[in-house]
Amino acid sequence: MDNKAPGKDVTDQDLKDKFPLAAKKSPDHRSVFDIAGVTFGAETIPVFAGPNTVESRDQIIDIARNVKKSGAHFLRGGAFKPLTFPYRSEKYYELREEGLGYLADAKAETGLPIITEIMEESKVDAVAEVADIMQIGTRNMQNFPLLTRVAKTGKPVMIKRHFGCSLRDWLGAAEYVLVEGNEKVILCERGVSVPHTHRSSSRFLLDLQVIPAAQEVTHLPVVSDPSHATFWAPWVEPMTLASIAAGADGIMLEVHPDPRNAAVDPLQPIDYQEFDALMTKMKAVASAVERTL
Ligand code: PEP
Ligand code: MN
């Protein structure tokens, strides 16, 4: 179907001029690639699980063991965190280089590959040494020098959609990585800003519709992050299952042994038992849409 209207939505001209590398070449064109032995863009839906923030060596290893047991494919966790407020305390912190070391230890102990956020150009080499996937956070989606620098490492890159950006802007960010010759690019929807989120503590709304919308125009895998999108653990399960039903090519989930005492964003993680039960339900929904976990 033609889409010639100018404006914020993706036009046929955009697909030719603005992001020819991110654009599909044919209706069934999908990028399929391997990262650390896990296939992206095919029937299987990779799951990234772990805490918001790396809090301690023992805890991140314990989380890695538990999420692996339940079937997660990657360990997630931030060492460098885009914290909204500048003050740090015993309860609100980021471990930075120390946390990177603990992620490496968790990988060595469990074999789980790592996805972690890169925020600063000066830290790109340090993060690339530990990360199997370099995560660009929502707040840096349009930090173009960072995208270019990260792309040049050759490491796979996951680009979280900025909470106020269109699909067109998001694909523009992906093109910045692709144009450097880095083809392992993953998109991640993590919730957008809207006037109403149905709870005062919920800042974002999961844009489920962007999953099929993106897949209509790009060959890149589209992951969903219901934890950041809902900001509210009880909504994580329904939005995870809905994401799979909507065609998500991967799921990112925050999992913590003691969610309400997590150092950052304690309202959104699920615990080990909840994650394990959710994985079972995810498999059921995946099979209903001819996917596997
Ligand atoms: C995260 O995944 O830890 C994170 C900070 O996510 P976002 O950039 O989507 O807020
Ligand atoms: Mn977070």
Side-chain angles (χ1 to χ4, degrees), residues 19-94:
F19 29 83
L21 301 174
K24 276 175 140 179
K25 304 289 176 283
S26 62
D28 59 359
H29 178 198
R30 287 170 62 80
S31 270
V32 178
F33 49 79
D34 173 285
I35 303 175
V38 179
T39 305
F40 285 79
E43 291 78 16
T44 299
I45 301 171
V47 176
F48 313 102
N52 187 302
T53 311
V54 180
E55 297 180 13
S56 71
R57 184 177 186 278
D58 287 352
Q59 189 196 76
I60 195 70
I61 291 173
D62 189 64
I63 293 171
R65 287 207 178 103
N66 277 278
V67 299
K68 184 179 179 176
K69 204 164 33 169
S70 298
H73 304 83
F74 282 78
L75 177 66
R76 68 141 280 140
F80 295 96
K81 291 298 305 172
L83 298 175
T84 302
F85 306 103
Y87 308 108
R88 303 294 187 263
S89 68
E90 268 175 37
K91 276 292 294 166
Y92 187 71
Y93 56 86
E94 52 175 341

Side-chain angles (χ1 to χ4, degrees), residues 22 35 67 95 160 251:
I35 303 175
V67 299
L95 291 182
K160 297 189 95 173
I251 296 289

Side-chain angles (χ1 to χ4, degrees), residues 52 76 81-82 117 135 137-139 160 190 228 252:
N52 187 302
R76 68 141 280 140
K81 291 298 305 172
E117 179 161 354
Q135 176 173 318
T138 192
R139 293 163 183 83
K160 297 189 95 173
R190 49 77 68 213
H228 283 87
M252 172 168 267

